[in-house]
Amino acid sequence: MSRTINVLFLAAEADPFIKVGGLGDVSGVLPRELRALSNEELKLDVRLVLPYHPAVKAENLRPVEIFSIPRGDSEVAVEAFETTLNGMPVYFIGGEPIRANGSVYSLDATKDADKYAFFSLAAMELPKHINWQPDVVHANDWHTALSLYVNLTKRWESGSKHVAGVLTLHNLPFMGADVSAILESYGIKLAQTDLPEWARVLPLPLGLWASDAIVAVSPGYAGEVLTEEFGCGLQEFLGVRKETLSGVLNGIDTVSFDPATDKSISINFNLPTLKRRAENKELLQEKLGLTRNPNIPLLAVISRMDVQKGVDLAFTALKNMKRIDFQAVILGTGDPKLEESARELQTLFPDKIKAELRFDAALARQIYAGADMILMPSRYEPCGLAQMIAMRYGCVPIVRAVGGLKDTVIPKETGFVFEKAHHMSLVSAIKAAMKVLPDKEKWEALQRNGMAKDFSWEASAREYLKLYLSLVK
Ligand code: GLC
Protein backbone atom coordinates (compact mmCIF):
# COMPACT_ATOMS: atom_id res chain seq x y z
CA MET A 1 0.00 0.00 0.00
CA SER A 2 1.38 3.39 -0.84
CA ARG A 3 1.52 6.21 1.67
CA THR A 4 2.20 9.90 1.36
CA ILE A 5 4.05 12.32 3.59
CA ASN A 6 3.19 15.96 2.97
CA VAL A 7 5.89 18.45 3.87
CA LEU A 8 5.53 22.21 3.93
CA PHE A 9 9.06 23.56 3.48
CA LEU A 10 9.51 27.22 4.44
CA ALA A 11 12.51 29.42 3.75
CA ALA A 12 13.39 33.08 3.31
CA GLU A 13 15.17 32.41 0.00
CA ALA A 14 15.57 29.65 -2.58
CA ASP A 15 17.55 29.40 -5.78
CA PRO A 16 16.58 30.02 -8.65
CA PHE A 17 13.86 32.44 -7.48
CA ILE A 18 15.89 34.50 -5.07
CA LYS A 19 19.30 33.83 -3.56
CA VAL A 20 21.46 35.74 -1.13
CA GLY A 21 23.54 33.01 0.49
CA GLY A 22 23.91 29.32 1.34
CA LEU A 23 20.36 29.07 2.67
CA GLY A 24 19.16 29.84 -0.85
CA ASP A 25 21.28 27.03 -2.30
CA VAL A 26 19.95 24.54 0.21
CA SER A 27 16.28 25.50 -0.07
CA GLY A 28 16.52 25.45 -3.85
CA VAL A 29 17.68 21.86 -3.99
CA LEU A 30 16.78 19.89 -0.84
CA PRO A 31 12.97 19.96 -1.30
CA ARG A 32 13.31 18.61 -4.85
CA GLU A 33 15.83 15.96 -3.78
CA LEU A 34 13.36 14.85 -1.13
CA ARG A 35 10.58 14.56 -3.69
CA ALA A 36 12.92 12.54 -5.89
CA LEU A 37 13.14 9.88 -3.16
CA SER A 38 9.47 9.04 -3.72
CA ASN A 39 8.79 5.47 -4.80
CA GLU A 40 5.84 3.09 -5.15
CA GLU A 41 5.48 2.63 -1.40
CA LEU A 42 6.10 6.15 -0.28
CA LYS A 43 5.33 9.45 -1.87
CA LEU A 44 7.05 12.56 -0.52
CA ASP A 45 4.95 15.57 -1.45
CA VAL A 46 7.28 18.40 -0.45
CA ARG A 47 6.08 21.90 -1.28
CA LEU A 48 8.15 25.03 -0.98
CA VAL A 49 6.83 28.33 0.40
CA LEU A 50 8.73 31.59 -0.02
CA PRO A 51 8.06 35.26 0.67
CA TYR A 52 7.15 37.18 -2.45
CA HIS A 53 10.09 39.58 -2.12
CA PRO A 54 10.01 42.35 -4.73
CA ALA A 55 13.24 40.92 -6.20
CA VAL A 56 11.81 37.42 -6.73
CA LYS A 57 12.18 36.14 -10.29
CA ALA A 58 9.44 33.66 -11.08
CA GLU A 59 7.61 32.78 -14.26
CA ASN A 60 4.04 31.63 -14.75
CA LEU A 61 2.82 32.72 -11.35
CA ARG A 62 -0.83 31.91 -10.83
CA PRO A 63 -2.79 33.55 -8.04
CA VAL A 64 -3.99 31.00 -5.51
CA GLU A 65 -6.32 33.07 -3.43
CA ILE A 66 -6.42 36.26 -1.48
CA PHE A 67 -7.15 35.67 2.16
CA SER A 68 -6.39 37.63 5.28
CA ILE A 69 -5.08 37.16 8.77
CA PRO A 70 -6.29 39.20 11.75
CA ARG A 71 -3.99 41.90 13.08
CA GLY A 72 -4.98 44.36 15.78
CA ASP A 73 -8.53 45.52 15.19
CA SER A 74 -8.37 44.81 11.48
CA GLU A 75 -6.70 42.33 9.17
CA VAL A 76 -3.81 42.05 6.70
CA ALA A 77 -4.37 40.75 3.20
CA VAL A 78 -2.29 37.78 2.07
CA GLU A 79 -1.75 37.33 -1.64
CA ALA A 80 -0.70 33.80 -2.43
CA PHE A 81 0.72 32.71 -5.78
CA GLU A 82 1.70 29.36 -7.14
CA THR A 83 4.16 28.02 -9.69
CA THR A 84 6.12 24.82 -10.18
CA LEU A 85 9.82 24.02 -10.25
CA ASN A 86 10.56 20.70 -11.98
CA GLY A 87 7.14 19.49 -10.96
CA MET A 88 7.34 20.73 -7.36
CA PRO A 89 4.61 23.15 -6.27
CA VAL A 90 6.12 26.43 -5.08
CA TYR A 91 4.07 29.08 -3.30
CA PHE A 92 4.83 32.73 -2.80
CA ILE A 93 3.27 34.69 0.04
CA GLY A 94 2.84 38.38 -0.67
CA GLY A 95 1.46 41.20 1.36
CA GLU A 96 2.12 44.66 2.67
CA PRO A 97 4.71 43.69 5.34
CA ILE A 98 6.77 41.94 2.65
CA ARG A 99 6.45 44.70 0.06
CA ALA A 100 7.23 47.35 2.68
CA ASN A 101 10.73 46.01 3.17
CA GLY A 102 12.22 45.38 -0.23
CA SER A 103 15.45 43.49 0.30
CA VAL A 104 15.48 39.89 1.51
CA TYR A 105 17.37 40.89 4.66
CA SER A 106 17.68 44.48 5.79
CA LEU A 107 19.85 46.09 8.43
CA ASP A 108 16.70 47.02 10.34
CA ALA A 109 15.99 44.08 12.65
CA THR A 110 12.51 45.33 13.60
CA LYS A 111 11.41 45.60 9.97
CA ASP A 112 12.72 42.12 9.27
CA ALA A 113 10.91 40.78 12.33
CA ASP A 114 7.67 42.32 11.07
CA LYS A 115 8.10 40.87 7.61
CA TYR A 116 9.08 37.36 8.59
CA ALA A 117 6.52 37.09 11.39
CA PHE A 118 3.85 37.95 8.84
CA PHE A 119 5.31 35.46 6.39
CA SER A 120 5.53 32.65 8.93
CA LEU A 121 1.98 33.13 10.19
CA ALA A 122 0.46 33.60 6.74
CA ALA A 123 2.29 30.54 5.37
CA MET A 124 0.68 28.42 8.08
CA GLU A 125 -2.75 29.51 6.84
CA LEU A 126 -1.93 28.56 3.25
CA PRO A 127 -2.68 24.78 3.47
CA LYS A 128 -6.36 25.48 4.22
CA HIS A 129 -6.61 27.52 1.04
CA ILE A 130 -4.99 24.95 -1.21
CA ASN A 131 -6.86 22.02 0.22
CA TRP A 132 -3.76 20.16 1.28
CA GLN A 133 -2.59 19.36 4.81
CA PRO A 134 1.04 18.98 5.81
CA ASP A 135 2.25 16.13 8.03
CA VAL A 136 5.51 17.99 8.60
CA VAL A 137 6.31 21.70 8.71
CA HIS A 138 10.00 22.17 7.93
CA ALA A 139 11.34 25.64 8.77
CA ASN A 140 14.80 27.09 8.23
CA ASP A 141 16.60 29.58 10.48
CA TRP A 142 14.96 32.40 12.44
CA HIS A 143 13.01 33.84 9.51
CA THR A 144 10.53 30.98 9.38
CA ALA A 145 10.89 29.61 12.92
CA LEU A 146 7.67 31.24 14.15
CA SER A 147 5.70 28.90 11.88
CA LEU A 148 6.68 26.11 14.26
CA TYR A 149 5.68 28.18 17.24
CA VAL A 150 2.15 28.77 15.93
CA ASN A 151 2.00 25.17 14.71
CA LEU A 152 2.41 24.04 18.31
CA THR A 153 0.49 26.71 20.22
CA LYS A 154 -2.50 26.64 17.87
CA ARG A 155 -2.65 22.87 18.21
CA TRP A 156 -2.67 23.22 21.97
CA GLU A 157 -5.51 25.69 21.72
CA SER A 158 -7.64 23.84 19.20
CA GLY A 159 -6.65 20.24 19.81
CA SER A 160 -6.04 19.71 16.10
CA LYS A 161 -4.02 16.86 14.62
CA HIS A 162 -0.29 16.65 15.37
CA VAL A 163 1.80 18.16 12.62
CA ALA A 164 5.50 17.53 13.18
CA GLY A 165 7.83 20.53 13.28
CA VAL A 166 11.41 20.38 12.00
CA LEU A 167 13.83 23.28 12.26
CA THR A 168 17.06 23.31 10.31
CA LEU A 169 19.74 25.49 11.84
CA HIS A 170 21.94 27.15 9.23
CA ASN A 171 23.16 29.95 11.45
CA LEU A 172 22.46 30.04 15.19
CA PRO A 173 23.71 33.55 16.04
CA PHE A 174 20.95 35.13 13.96
CA MET A 175 17.89 34.78 16.18
CA GLY A 176 15.69 37.66 15.01
CA ALA A 177 14.42 40.61 17.05
CA ASP A 178 11.88 40.83 19.90
CA VAL A 179 8.53 39.78 18.41
CA SER A 180 6.39 39.95 21.54
CA ALA A 181 4.46 43.04 20.38
CA ILE A 182 4.13 41.67 16.85
CA LEU A 183 2.79 38.34 18.09
CA GLU A 184 0.36 40.14 20.35
CA SER A 185 -0.91 42.21 17.42
CA TYR A 186 -1.71 38.94 15.63
CA GLY A 187 -3.48 37.66 18.71
CA ILE A 188 -0.81 35.12 19.59
CA LYS A 189 0.23 34.66 23.22
CA LEU A 190 3.75 34.12 24.43
CA ALA A 191 3.96 30.67 25.98
CA GLN A 192 5.73 29.65 29.17
CA THR A 193 8.94 28.20 27.86
CA ASP A 194 12.06 26.72 29.38
CA LEU A 195 14.16 29.10 27.28
CA PRO A 196 16.51 31.57 28.97
CA GLU A 197 14.54 34.72 29.70
CA TRP A 198 16.17 36.92 27.04
CA ALA A 199 15.37 34.31 24.38
CA ARG A 200 11.65 33.95 25.13
CA VAL A 201 10.68 36.75 22.75
CA LEU A 202 12.96 35.86 19.81
CA PRO A 203 11.78 33.91 16.75
CA LEU A 204 14.59 31.37 16.51
CA PRO A 205 14.52 30.25 20.16
CA LEU A 206 10.71 30.09 20.06
CA GLY A 207 10.93 27.87 16.98
CA LEU A 208 13.56 25.66 18.58
CA TRP A 209 11.37 25.34 21.64
CA ALA A 210 8.36 24.35 19.55
CA SER A 211 10.08 21.93 17.16
CA ASP A 212 9.97 18.16 17.35
CA ALA A 213 13.38 17.89 15.74
CA ILE A 214 16.30 20.27 15.33
CA VAL A 215 18.78 19.65 12.54
CA ALA A 216 22.13 21.40 12.29
CA VAL A 217 23.62 21.55 8.79
CA SER A 218 26.59 19.37 9.72
CA PRO A 219 27.27 16.80 12.44
CA GLY A 220 30.17 18.96 13.60
CA TYR A 221 27.95 22.01 14.09
CA ALA A 222 25.35 19.88 15.91
CA GLY A 223 28.04 19.16 18.49
CA GLU A 224 29.38 22.70 18.59
CA VAL A 225 26.02 24.39 19.35
CA LEU A 226 26.04 22.53 22.67
CA THR A 227 29.21 24.33 23.75
CA GLU A 228 29.66 27.74 25.30
CA GLU A 229 31.90 28.83 22.42
CA PHE A 230 29.29 28.26 19.69
CA GLY A 231 25.98 27.93 21.56
CA CYS A 232 25.20 31.66 21.66
CA GLY A 233 23.68 31.34 25.13
CA LEU A 234 21.32 28.54 24.09
CA GLN A 235 23.76 25.69 24.79
CA GLU A 236 22.05 24.62 28.01
CA PHE A 237 18.59 24.75 26.49
CA LEU A 238 19.83 22.78 23.48
CA GLY A 239 21.55 20.36 25.85
CA VAL A 240 18.18 19.54 27.40
CA ARG A 241 16.83 18.92 23.87
CA LYS A 242 19.86 16.89 22.85
CA GLU A 243 17.81 13.82 21.94
CA THR A 244 15.97 15.80 19.27
CA LEU A 245 19.11 17.45 17.88
CA SER A 246 21.00 15.91 14.98
CA GLY A 247 23.36 16.99 12.22
CA VAL A 248 22.78 16.40 8.52
CA LEU A 249 25.48 17.60 6.18
CA ASN A 250 24.31 19.74 3.27
CA GLY A 251 25.06 18.57 -0.22
CA ILE A 252 25.85 20.61 -3.31
CA ASP A 253 24.11 20.60 -6.66
CA THR A 254 26.46 18.19 -8.39
CA VAL A 255 24.67 18.52 -11.73
CA SER A 256 25.10 22.26 -11.87
CA PHE A 257 28.55 22.19 -10.27
CA ASP A 258 30.29 19.76 -12.59
CA PRO A 259 33.65 20.70 -14.14
CA ALA A 260 32.97 18.22 -16.96
CA THR A 261 29.93 20.13 -18.21
CA ASP A 262 30.04 23.60 -16.60
CA LYS A 263 29.38 26.10 -19.39
CA SER A 264 30.91 29.00 -17.45
CA ILE A 265 34.41 27.59 -17.65
CA SER A 266 36.59 27.56 -20.76
CA ILE A 267 38.07 24.10 -20.52
CA ASN A 268 35.90 21.30 -19.18
CA PHE A 269 37.68 18.50 -17.36
CA ASN A 270 37.13 15.51 -15.11
CA LEU A 271 39.32 13.00 -13.29
CA PRO A 272 40.84 11.39 -16.41
CA THR A 273 41.45 14.79 -18.03
CA LEU A 274 42.59 16.64 -14.91
CA LYS A 275 45.76 17.76 -16.73
CA ARG A 276 43.65 20.11 -18.85
CA ARG A 277 42.67 22.06 -15.72
CA ALA A 278 45.96 23.99 -15.97
CA GLU A 279 44.61 25.86 -19.00
CA ASN A 280 41.82 27.27 -16.87
CA LYS A 281 44.38 28.64 -14.44
CA GLU A 282 46.20 30.53 -17.19
CA LEU A 283 42.98 31.85 -18.68
CA LEU A 284 41.93 33.02 -15.24
CA GLN A 285 45.26 34.76 -14.65
CA GLU A 286 44.85 36.52 -17.97
CA LYS A 287 41.27 37.53 -17.28
CA LEU A 288 42.22 38.96 -13.89
CA GLY A 289 45.19 40.85 -15.33
CA LEU A 290 47.73 38.75 -13.45
CA THR A 291 50.94 37.34 -14.91
CA ARG A 292 50.26 34.17 -16.88
CA ASN A 293 52.43 31.62 -15.16
CA PRO A 294 51.48 28.05 -14.22
CA ASN A 295 54.04 27.95 -11.43
CA ILE A 296 52.87 30.87 -9.31
CA PRO A 297 50.44 29.64 -6.64
CA LEU A 298 47.01 31.16 -7.24
CA LEU A 299 44.93 31.56 -4.06
CA ALA A 300 41.24 32.35 -3.87
CA VAL A 301 38.74 33.80 -1.44
CA ILE A 302 35.15 33.33 -2.64
CA SER A 303 32.90 34.47 0.14
CA ARG A 304 30.42 36.86 1.61
CA MET A 305 32.57 39.63 3.08
CA ASP A 306 31.71 38.79 6.67
CA VAL A 307 33.65 38.38 9.91
CA GLN A 308 31.96 34.99 10.33
CA LYS A 309 33.87 33.84 7.27
CA GLY A 310 37.16 35.11 8.68
CA VAL A 311 37.90 37.05 5.48
CA ASP A 312 39.71 39.62 7.64
CA LEU A 313 42.06 36.84 8.77
CA ALA A 314 42.64 35.90 5.14
CA PHE A 315 43.45 39.52 4.25
CA THR A 316 45.90 39.89 7.15
CA ALA A 317 47.49 36.58 6.22
CA LEU A 318 48.02 37.73 2.61
CA LYS A 319 49.45 41.02 3.84
CA ASN A 320 51.97 39.03 5.85
CA MET A 321 53.16 37.12 2.81
CA LYS A 322 55.14 39.99 1.27
CA ARG A 323 58.20 37.92 0.55
CA ILE A 324 56.32 34.99 -0.93
CA ASP A 325 55.56 34.62 -4.62
CA PHE A 326 51.83 34.14 -4.99
CA GLN A 327 48.73 35.54 -6.66
CA ALA A 328 45.30 35.89 -5.08
CA VAL A 329 41.78 36.72 -6.16
CA ILE A 330 39.06 37.88 -3.77
CA LEU A 331 35.46 37.56 -4.97
CA GLY A 332 32.36 38.60 -3.07
CA THR A 333 30.38 41.40 -1.50
CA GLY A 334 29.24 42.27 1.98
CA ASP A 335 30.48 44.33 4.90
CA PRO A 336 31.67 47.66 3.45
CA LYS A 337 34.65 47.74 5.85
CA LEU A 338 35.85 44.36 4.64
CA GLU A 339 35.30 45.36 1.03
CA GLU A 340 37.48 48.39 1.74
CA SER A 341 40.24 46.20 3.21
CA ALA A 342 40.13 44.05 0.09
CA ARG A 343 40.55 47.14 -2.08
CA GLU A 344 43.46 48.33 0.09
CA LEU A 345 45.10 44.97 -0.32
CA GLN A 346 44.84 45.24 -4.09
CA THR A 347 46.38 48.72 -3.97
CA LEU A 348 49.20 47.41 -1.81
CA PHE A 349 49.92 44.42 -4.10
CA PRO A 350 48.65 45.50 -7.53
CA ASP A 351 50.50 42.72 -9.39
CA LYS A 352 49.54 40.02 -6.95
CA ILE A 353 46.05 40.56 -5.62
CA LYS A 354 42.79 41.25 -7.42
CA ALA A 355 39.67 42.27 -5.52
CA GLU A 356 36.47 41.57 -7.48
CA LEU A 357 33.87 42.96 -5.11
CA ARG A 358 30.68 41.82 -6.70
CA PHE A 359 28.38 38.84 -7.01
CA ASP A 360 29.52 37.00 -10.11
CA ALA A 361 28.47 33.35 -10.34
CA ALA A 362 30.35 32.72 -13.59
CA LEU A 363 33.62 34.16 -12.31
CA ALA A 364 33.20 32.09 -9.12
CA ARG A 365 33.08 28.94 -11.24
CA GLN A 366 36.11 30.03 -13.27
CA ILE A 367 38.00 30.54 -10.03
CA TYR A 368 36.99 27.13 -8.66
CA ALA A 369 38.19 25.65 -11.97
CA GLY A 370 41.46 27.55 -12.14
CA ALA A 371 42.79 28.58 -8.74
CA ASP A 372 45.12 26.24 -6.86
CA MET A 373 43.71 26.77 -3.37
CA ILE A 374 40.70 28.33 -1.68
CA LEU A 375 40.99 29.91 1.76
CA MET A 376 38.19 29.43 4.31
CA PRO A 377 39.37 30.64 7.73
CA SER A 378 35.82 30.82 9.17
CA ARG A 379 35.30 31.76 12.82
CA TYR A 380 32.34 29.40 12.76
CA GLU A 381 30.90 27.49 9.82
CA PRO A 382 27.64 25.58 10.21
CA CYS A 383 28.33 23.76 6.95
CA GLY A 384 29.98 25.77 4.21
CA LEU A 385 29.40 24.96 0.57
CA ALA A 386 32.40 26.57 -1.16
CA GLN A 387 34.88 23.97 0.13
CA MET A 388 32.77 21.18 -1.36
CA ILE A 389 32.38 22.95 -4.71
CA ALA A 390 36.12 23.73 -4.71
CA MET A 391 37.04 20.08 -4.13
CA ARG A 392 34.77 18.99 -6.97
CA TYR A 393 36.69 21.39 -9.25
CA GLY A 394 40.15 20.33 -8.11
CA CYS A 395 40.76 23.50 -6.10
CA VAL A 396 42.34 22.46 -2.81
CA PRO A 397 40.69 23.89 0.34
CA ILE A 398 42.62 25.40 3.23
CA VAL A 399 40.11 25.55 6.06
CA ARG A 400 39.79 26.16 9.76
CA ALA A 401 38.78 23.11 11.79
CA VAL A 402 35.22 24.16 12.58
CA GLY A 403 31.70 22.88 11.89
CA GLY A 404 31.09 21.59 8.41
CA LEU A 405 34.61 22.48 7.25
CA LYS A 406 36.06 19.98 9.69
CA ASP A 407 33.51 17.40 8.60
CA THR A 408 34.25 17.70 4.88
CA VAL A 409 37.97 18.41 4.49
CA ILE A 410 40.34 15.61 5.41
CA PRO A 411 43.82 16.87 6.38
CA LYS A 412 46.54 15.83 3.92
CA GLU A 413 44.03 13.78 1.94
CA THR A 414 41.74 16.41 0.42
CA GLY A 415 43.03 19.67 1.86
CA PHE A 416 44.76 21.55 4.65
CA VAL A 417 43.21 22.18 8.05
CA PHE A 418 44.30 24.53 10.82
CA GLU A 419 42.96 25.08 14.33
CA LYS A 420 43.27 28.64 15.54
CA ALA A 421 41.25 31.61 14.27
CA HIS A 422 44.47 33.58 13.84
CA HIS A 423 46.04 34.84 10.64
CA MET A 424 49.40 33.25 11.46
CA SER A 425 47.79 29.81 11.68
CA LEU A 426 46.39 30.41 8.23
CA VAL A 427 49.78 31.59 6.94
CA SER A 428 51.35 28.35 8.21
CA ALA A 429 48.68 26.29 6.47
CA ILE A 430 49.17 28.23 3.22
CA LYS A 431 52.92 27.68 3.45
CA ALA A 432 52.38 23.97 4.04
CA ALA A 433 50.19 23.83 0.94
CA MET A 434 52.70 25.81 -1.13
CA LYS A 435 55.37 23.32 -0.18
CA VAL A 436 53.36 20.47 -1.68
CA LEU A 437 52.20 22.36 -4.79
CA PRO A 438 55.41 21.98 -6.87
CA ASP A 439 55.30 18.22 -6.29
CA LYS A 440 52.87 17.56 -9.17
CA GLU A 441 52.14 13.99 -8.18
CA LYS A 442 51.34 14.77 -4.57
CA TRP A 443 49.27 17.80 -5.47
CA GLU A 444 47.30 15.88 -8.05
CA ALA A 445 46.57 13.23 -5.46
CA LEU A 446 45.00 15.89 -3.23
CA GLN A 447 42.95 17.17 -6.15
CA ARG A 448 41.85 13.70 -7.21
CA ASN A 449 40.82 12.70 -3.70
CA GLY A 450 38.65 15.79 -3.43
CA MET A 451 37.15 15.38 -6.90
CA ALA A 452 36.25 11.77 -6.15
CA LYS A 453 34.26 12.64 -3.00
CA ASP A 454 30.50 12.36 -3.24
CA PHE A 455 28.93 15.62 -2.04
CA SER A 456 25.61 15.04 -3.77
CA TRP A 457 22.35 15.73 -1.97
CA GLU A 458 20.94 12.24 -2.12
CA ALA A 459 22.56 10.94 1.05
CA SER A 460 21.50 14.05 2.99
CA ALA A 461 17.95 13.87 1.65
CA ARG A 462 17.75 10.25 2.84
CA GLU A 463 18.72 11.37 6.34
CA TYR A 464 15.92 13.94 6.34
CA LEU A 465 13.50 11.30 5.09
CA LYS A 466 14.48 9.00 7.97
CA LEU A 467 13.81 11.85 10.34
CA TYR A 468 10.38 12.62 8.82
CA LEU A 469 9.46 8.94 9.07
CA SER A 470 10.41 8.83 12.74
CA LEU A 471 8.21 11.88 13.42
CA VAL A 472 5.06 10.89 11.56
CA LYS A 473 4.73 7.19 12.40
C1 GLC B 1 24.64 29.50 6.37
C2 GLC B 1 25.92 29.02 7.05
C3 GLC B 1 26.73 28.13 6.12
C4 GLC B 1 25.86 27.04 5.52
C5 GLC B 1 24.62 27.67 4.85
C6 GLC B 1 23.68 26.62 4.28
O1 GLC B 1 24.95 30.43 5.37
O2 GLC B 1 26.71 30.11 7.47
O3 GLC B 1 27.79 27.52 6.83
O4 GLC B 1 26.58 26.32 4.55
O5 GLC B 1 23.91 28.43 5.80
O6 GLC B 1 23.22 25.72 5.27
Side-chain angles (χ1 to χ4, degrees):
M1 204 190 65
S2 107
R3 90 186 256 224
T4 303
I5 301 180
N6 290 344
V7 182
L8 191 69
F9 192 99
L10 296 90
E13 50 172 300
D15 197 36
F17 304 108
I18 181 109
K19 188 186 120 169
V20 180
L23 174 62
D25 290 298
V26 173
S27 326
V29 185
L30 175 59
R32 279 184 285 159
E33 290 284 340
L34 282 162
R35 288 177 74 90
L37 296 179
S38 295
N39 57 33
E40 267 158 35
E41 274 112 59
L42 179 73
K43 186 177 164 218
L44 266 171
D45 187 357
V46 186
R47 301 186 179 196
L48 175 64
V49 196
L50 300 166
Y52 195 25
H53 305 289
V56 160
K57 284 199 192 77
E59 276 158 36
N60 303 322
L61 279 190
R62 297 174 298 276
V64 174
E65 196 173 344
I66 298 187
F67 54 96
S68 61
I69 53 174
R71 185 173 66 186
D73 299 329
S74 80
E75 19 194 55
V76 206
V78 180
E79 295 139 38
F81 301 90
E82 180 184 16
T83 187
T84 51
L85 178 64
N86 301 118
M88 171 175 69
V90 181
Y91 301 92
F92 291 95
I93 300 281
E96 185 273 324
I98 291 170
R99 267 194 305 275
N101 184 2
S103 51
V104 178
Y105 311 115
S106 74
L107 295 174
D108 184 337
T110 331
K111 268 196 189 164
D112 271 3
D114 207 40
K115 168 165 71 183
Y116 285 111
F118 167 76
F119 172 71
S120 302
L121 305 191
M124 291 304 283
E125 293 298 313
L126 178 73
K128 267 203 288 243
H129 300 273
I130 54 172
N131 226 337
W132 176 88
Q133 283 307 315
D135 302 299
V136 179
V137 176
H138 189 156
N140 293 275
D141 276 353
W142 80 262
H143 327 102
T144 48
L146 285 177
S147 63
L148 302 176
Y149 181 74
V150 299
N151 177 47
L152 180 68
T153 53
K154 289 212 168 154
R155 179 167 83 230
W156 280 356
E157 273 168 30
S158 63
S160 50
K161 155 177 175 273
H162 175 258
V163 176
V166 176
L167 182 53
T168 293
L169 266 182
H170 303 259
N171 213 331
L172 181 61
F174 294 86
M175 298 193 193
D178 184 342
V179 283
S180 49
I182 300 171
L183 287 179
E184 199 187 317
S185 75
Y186 286 110
I188 293 163
K189 288 192 194 74
L190 271 183
Q192 295 276 343
T193 65
D194 59 339
L195 288 163
E197 202 175 328
W198 57 267
R200 287 176 201 163
V201 294
L202 303 179
L204 183 68
L206 287 170
L208 290 169
W209 171 79
S211 61
D212 296 285
I214 302 166
V215 183
V217 286
S218 68
Y221 196 53
E224 285 172 351
V225 295
L226 297 173
T227 65
E228 202 182 325
E229 186 182 357
F230 297 102
C232 305
L234 292 182
Q235 58 275 13
E236 270 169 42
F237 167 79
L238 289 169
V240 175
R241 301 294 173 102
K242 216 164 132 188
E243 253 76 274
T244 69
L245 169 68
S246 62
V248 177
L249 192 73
N250 288 331
I252 54 170
D253 185 340
T254 46
V255 176
S256 164
F257 289 110
D258 184 350
T261 54
D262 192 329
K263 291 201 174 61
S264 301
I265 67 178
S266 307
I267 311 291
N268 289 117
F269 61 94
N270 58 11
L271 274 171
T273 59
L274 176 58
K275 293 260 180 299
R276 300 207 61 195
R277 186 181 187 277
E279 292 172 61
N280 285 315
K281 176 171 173 182
E282 291 196 38
L283 290 167
L284 178 63
Q285 287 171 322
E286 189 170 286
K287 177 170 184 170
L288 294 169
L290 294 165
T291 311
R292 234 179 123 138
N293 181 338
N295 299 321
I296 304 179
L298 177 52
L299 280 48
V301 174
I302 305 176
S303 175
R304 253 187 304 127
M305 296 293 126
D306 194 310
V307 281
Q308 174 203 334
K309 301 288 180 184
V311 284
D312 54 317
L313 301 176
F315 297 166
T316 317
L318 296 178
K319 225 188 209 164
N320 275 275
M321 291 173 24
K322 275 191 212 75
R323 277 186 292 274
I324 302 174
D325 198 17
F326 74 93
Q327 298 172 334
V329 52
I330 301 161
L331 176 67
T333 62
D335 185 338
K337 272 197 229 120
L338 291 169
E339 289 191 9
E340 191 45 43
S341 322
R343 264 184 231 108
E344 276 167 27
L345 211 54
Q346 171 172 279
T347 314
L348 216 58
F349 301 98
D351 322 320
K352 277 179 147 175
I353 299 180
K354 296 293 164 187
E356 306 289 337
L357 303 173
R358 60 178 189 277
F359 181 83
D360 188 335
L363 179 58
R365 288 162 181 264
Q366 290 154 11
I367 297 173
Y368 287 124
D372 296 304
M373 318 160 191
I374 185 168
L375 312 181
M376 297 185 75
S378 302
R379 292 201 162 75
Y380 70 92
E381 195 61 81
C383 179
L385 303 172
Q387 81 279 14
M388 292 191 265
I389 302 171
M391 282 186 262
R392 188 154 164 78
Y393 280 70
C395 178
V396 175
I398 302 183
V399 305
R400 179 157 178 250
V402 280
L405 295 175
K406 195 174 177 177
D407 287 348
T408 51
V409 180
I410 308 167
K412 297 203 182 93
E413 187 182 316
T414 59
F416 296 82
V417 180
F418 62 96
E419 294 287 334
K420 266 177 76 183
H422 192 278
H423 67 270
M424 285 318 288
S425 306
L426 174 57
V427 171
S428 305
I430 296 173
K431 283 187 179 160
M434 284 184 173
K435 233 178 168 171
V436 183
L437 185 62
D439 185 336
K440 288 250 154 45
E441 218 170 287
K442 269 200 183 155
W443 191 260
E444 257 191 51
L446 282 170
Q447 292 179 299
R448 286 180 191 282
N449 294 339
M451 288 171 76
K453 286 266 177 280
D454 180 7
F455 294 120
S456 66
W457 264 106
E458 200 190 315
S460 320
R462 285 195 188 284
E463 294 280 311
Y464 275 106
L465 171 57
K466 252 198 256 161
L467 178 68
Y468 292 163
L469 284 169
S470 73
L471 297 174
V472 301
K473 2 174 217 288

